[in-house]
C-alpha cells in the first residue's frame, strides 16, 4: 500500500494557515484567536472509527502532559459538529473538535491523504 499526499506538507517553522471552522458546539473556532498558544493540531478521518477512537483516547489519557506544558489540543475531521459533540461526550474528551466538512483546510495542511493500493 502506498500513501500519496496531493498537497505539500507544511515546513518546519512555517506559520500554520489560519482557518475558521465550527467546533463541537456548533460555534466558529478560529486558529488566529489562538496565535502564540502551544498547540497539538491533529487531523483524523472519522469519529467513532476504530483507529481514530484509539488515537483520541490516547490524547485524552495523556491530557495531564499537555495541561502541565500549557498545550492546547484540537482535533479536526470531516465529520459534522453534531457528530463531534456525540464523539466528545461518548469518550469524555476535554478538548475541542472542529469540523472541516468541505476538506478545504485539511488540504491546505496536506492532511487530505488518499490511499492507493
Amino acid at each position: 500500500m502506498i500513501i500519496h499526499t496531493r498537497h505539500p506538507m507544511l515546513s518546519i517553522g512555517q506559520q500554520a494557515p489560519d482557518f475558521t471552522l465550527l467546533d463541537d458546539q456548533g460555534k466558529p473556532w478560529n486558529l488566529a484567536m489562538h496565535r502564540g498558544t502551544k498547540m497539538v493540531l491533529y487531523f483524523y478521518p472519522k469519529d467513532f472509527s476504530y483507529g481514530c477512537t484509539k488515537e483520541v483516547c490516547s490524547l485524552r489519557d495523556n491530557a495531564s502532559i499537555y495541561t502541565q506544558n500549557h498545550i492546547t489540543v484540537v482535533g479536526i475531521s470531516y465529520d459534522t459538529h453534531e457528530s463531534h459533540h456525540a464523539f466528545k461526550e461518548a469518550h469524555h474528551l476535554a478538548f475541542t473538535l472542529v469540523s472541516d466538512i468541505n476538506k478545504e483546510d485539511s488540504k491546505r495542511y496536506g492532511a487530505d491523504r488518499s490511499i492507493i493500493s
Side-chain angles (χ1 to χ4, degrees), residues 6-23:
R6 294 186 301 254
H7 302 278
M9 302 293 274
L10 296 174
S11 301
I12 294 173
Q14 180 181 349
Q15 184 168 335
D18 189 28
F19 60 83
T20 300
L21 297 169
L22 292 182
D23 68 13

Side-chain angles (χ1 to χ4, degrees), residues 11 16 24 28 37 44 60 67 71 77 81 90 100 106 113:
S11 301
D24 47 78
T37 302
Y44 66 103
R60 178 204 61 209
T67 302
I71 299 171
S77 86
H81 73 274
D100 185 15
S106 297
R113 293 179 179 221

Side-chain angles (χ1 to χ4, degrees), residues 43-56 76-80 83-84 87:
F43 293 80
Y44 66 103
K46 185 106 178 103
D47 291 339
F48 296 103
S49 66
Y50 177 75
C52 295
T53 299
K54 283 186 69 169
E55 177 183 36
V56 79
I76 301 173
S77 86
Y78 311 142
D79 293 303
T80 65
S83 177
H84 284 334
F87 188 54

Side-chain angles (χ1 to χ4, degrees), residues 2-116:
I2 302 169
I3 298 176
H4 293 278
T5 303
R6 294 186 301 254
H7 302 278
M9 302 293 274
L10 296 174
S11 301
I12 294 173
Q14 180 181 349
Q15 184 168 335
D18 189 28
F19 60 83
T20 300
L21 297 169
L22 292 182
D23 68 13
D24 47 78
Q25 299 298 313
K27 297 178 182 174
W29 191 93
N30 180 269
L31 181 62
M33 299 297 293
H34 301 276
R35 293 277 183 224
T37 302
K38 292 189 280 185
M39 184 175 297
V40 172
L41 186 62
Y42 77 97
F43 293 80
Y44 66 103
K46 185 106 178 103
D47 291 339
F48 296 103
S49 66
Y50 177 75
C52 295
T53 299
K54 283 186 69 169
E55 177 183 36
V56 79
C57 288
S58 176
L59 288 165
R60 178 204 61 209
D61 294 346
N62 290 291
S64 64
I65 295 168
Y66 303 110
T67 302
Q68 290 169 3
N69 290 288
H70 308 285
I71 299 171
T72 301
V73 176
V74 177
I76 301 173
S77 86
Y78 311 142
D79 293 303
T80 65
H81 73 274
E82 294 93 350
S83 177
H84 284 334
H85 183 75
F87 188 54
K88 188 173 178 174
E89 283 193 352
H91 297 291
H92 310 286
L93 307 177
F95 48 87
T96 301
L97 302 177
V98 296
S99 299
D100 185 15
I101 295 171
N102 296 324
K103 304 180 183 180
E104 292 302 316
D105 292 294
S106 297
K107 288 178 186 177
R108 290 178 35 211
Y109 275 80
D112 65 318
R113 293 179 179 221
S114 60
I115 298 174
I116 302 172

